[in-house]
Amino acid sequence: DKGAFADCLALGNLHLRGEGVPKDASKAASLFKKACEGQLPQACLEQARLLRVGESAAKELPKAILLLERACTGGVADGCQDLAFLYYNGKETEKDLGRAAEFFGKACEGGLAPSCGSLGAMYAEGGRLAKDTAKAAALFQKACDGGLGEACGRLAVLTLAGDGVAKDPGKAASLAARA
């Protein structure tokens, strides 16, 4: 039952932080695994994060990626964002800007401002994605509204120039003040 798996997730987090129980990353990983197998995507994210850093056992990046995909597919935006940054940075896995854009998009749809800003930057700069300053501006706006000052600054530049968005020096100044 989902309740028991939710309890596993909660107890795993307590063990991970050492709150009210002994700090034990291995026990946390075991509980996250059980909850993930019980179809709790948030638990898959937590298990993946432990496997990625090797905190509870040996580093297992391929398994971590599969678990992040499971979390993302299950609607956990942080799982999508973690995947996006893995593929974007290309340090722990092969760089794949197409997959990065895909996962930034899903994380942005899930409300994560850093992913909106990163996808906006990919559209603003072109490269793997066709340059599209109108899409970039819309994504920067979403990220700015989500509290990402850097995105407010990037949108201010586009707004001042009228690049992909209506030219409006007053709005650009207001956006720059939020940067």
Side-chain angles (χ1 to χ4, degrees), residues 39-94:
Q39 306 305 311
L40 281 185
Q42 181 66 39
C44 300
L45 171 67
E46 300 302 335
Q47 184 185 5
R49 286 180 168 171
L50 288 176
L51 289 170
R52 212 174 133 194
V53 297
E55 189 171 340
S56 62
K59 247 181 158 174
E60 292 186 58
L61 193 60
K63 187 173 183 180
I65 288 172
L66 290 173
L67 290 167
L68 288 171
E69 289 174 352
R70 192 172 184 184
C72 180
T73 301
V76 179
D78 285 317
C80 303
Q81 182 168 268
D82 284 7
L83 280 167
F85 281 116
L86 274 171
Y87 287 118
Y88 184 82
N89 294 324
K91 292 179 183 163
E92 297 175 76
T93 190
E94 187 174 328

Side-chain angles (χ1 to χ4, degrees), residues 157-177:
V157 170
L158 293 176
T159 303
L160 186 61
D163 188 4
V165 64
K167 185 173 185 169
D168 185 340
K171 183 177 179 183
S174 174
L175 287 163

Side-chain angles (χ1 to χ4, degrees), residues 9-157:
L9 174 61
L11 186 56
N13 279 313
L14 292 174
H15 275 288
L16 189 60
R17 294 186 303 265
E19 293 178 7
V21 295
K23 187 172 183 166
D24 186 342
S26 294
K27 180 75 172 166
S30 171
L31 289 161
F32 293 151
K33 181 179 181 192
K34 184 174 183 176
C36 179
E37 289 169 352
Q39 306 305 311
L40 281 185
Q42 181 66 39
C44 300
L45 171 67
E46 300 302 335
Q47 184 185 5
R49 286 180 168 171
L50 288 176
L51 289 170
R52 212 174 133 194
V53 297
E55 189 171 340
S56 62
K59 247 181 158 174
E60 292 186 58
L61 193 60
K63 187 173 183 180
I65 288 172
L66 290 173
L67 290 167
L68 288 171
E69 289 174 352
R70 192 172 184 184
C72 180
T73 301
V76 179
D78 285 317
C80 303
Q81 182 168 268
D82 284 7
L83 280 167
F85 281 116
L86 274 171
Y87 287 118
Y88 184 82
N89 294 324
K91 292 179 183 163
E92 297 175 76
T93 190
E94 187 174 328
K95 188 171 192 151
D96 185 334
L97 296 179
R99 300 231 40 215
E102 171 192 348
F103 290 117
F104 278 138
K106 289 179 180 183
C108 180
E109 289 170 14
L112 297 182
S115 286
C116 299
S118 294
L119 186 57
M122 291 178 79
Y123 277 113
E125 295 158 9
R128 177 64 172 95
L129 301 178
K131 186 171 182 170
D132 186 334
T133 53
K135 278 186 184 178
L139 289 160
F140 288 147
Q141 182 67 63
K142 196 169 186 178
C144 180
D145 291 345
L148 193 65
E150 180 183 337
C152 300
R154 302 270 319 247
L155 181 57
V157 170

